[in-house]
Amino acid sequence: MTLSIDGKEMPVTWEDNTSVNELKEICPLKVDMSMYGGFEQVGSIGQSISRDDKQITTEFGDIVLYSGNQIVVFYGSNSWAYTKLGHIGLSEEELTKLLGNGDVVLEIK
């Protein structure tokens, strides 16, 4: 699977779990993301997929599933129960520049 943000392909390491497998099945997927809390972008994937939420503290670059139907990409950190989907291999500075200046469009193919 490839992930792009505003048309720029991102280097992603995907988790090996049921949620990622189900995400693959509903691709291609275009998600209008919105800034939230000053540390993340969140958007609805339009349906629910399996989740295995665990209490984690996210790091910049983490991609998680929230409530089974929302994808969240972090450019900061938060502690909550999420299902980890993957990690974007960019620096904190690169991610903040990309995600911290307004809403973005995320595409997964």
Side-chain angles (χ1 to χ4, degrees):
M1 269 190 321
T2 60
L3 181 143
S4 62
I5 297 174
D6 285 346
K8 298 175 193 161
E9 192 169 314
M10 301 288 115
V12 175
T13 303
W14 295 101
E15 295 292 309
D16 182 13
N17 62 33
T18 302
S19 300
V20 171
N21 291 337
E22 289 182 22
L23 191 61
K24 286 178 188 175
E25 292 174 13
I26 62 173
C27 285
L29 191 60
K30 184 176 180 179
V31 181
D32 292 322
M33 306 288 282
S34 298
M35 292 182 68
Y36 184 80
F39 53 84
E40 68 186 30
Q41 290 267 353
V42 62
S44 173
I45 60 172
Q47 68 185 70
S48 290
I49 60 175
S50 296
R51 63 192 221 199
D52 183 22
D53 294 345
K54 292 184 176 30
Q55 184 70 31
I56 61 172
T57 298
T58 62
E59 299 178 356
F60 64 89
D62 282 347
I63 307 164
V64 300
L65 182 67
Y66 173 68
S67 293
N69 64 359
Q70 295 179 67
I71 195 164
V72 182
V73 180
F74 286 90
Y75 56 96
S77 180
N78 191 33
S79 293
W80 201 260
Y82 300 111
T83 299
K84 190 158 181 193
L85 300 175
H87 185 82
I88 298 173
L90 295 178
S91 71
E92 186 172 8
E93 181 180 325
E94 291 170 310
L95 284 163
T96 300
K97 186 176 179 181
L98 183 67
L99 301 171
N101 295 307
D103 299 348
V104 298
V105 175
L106 179 140
E107 292 183 82
I108 304 174
K109 298 176 183 173

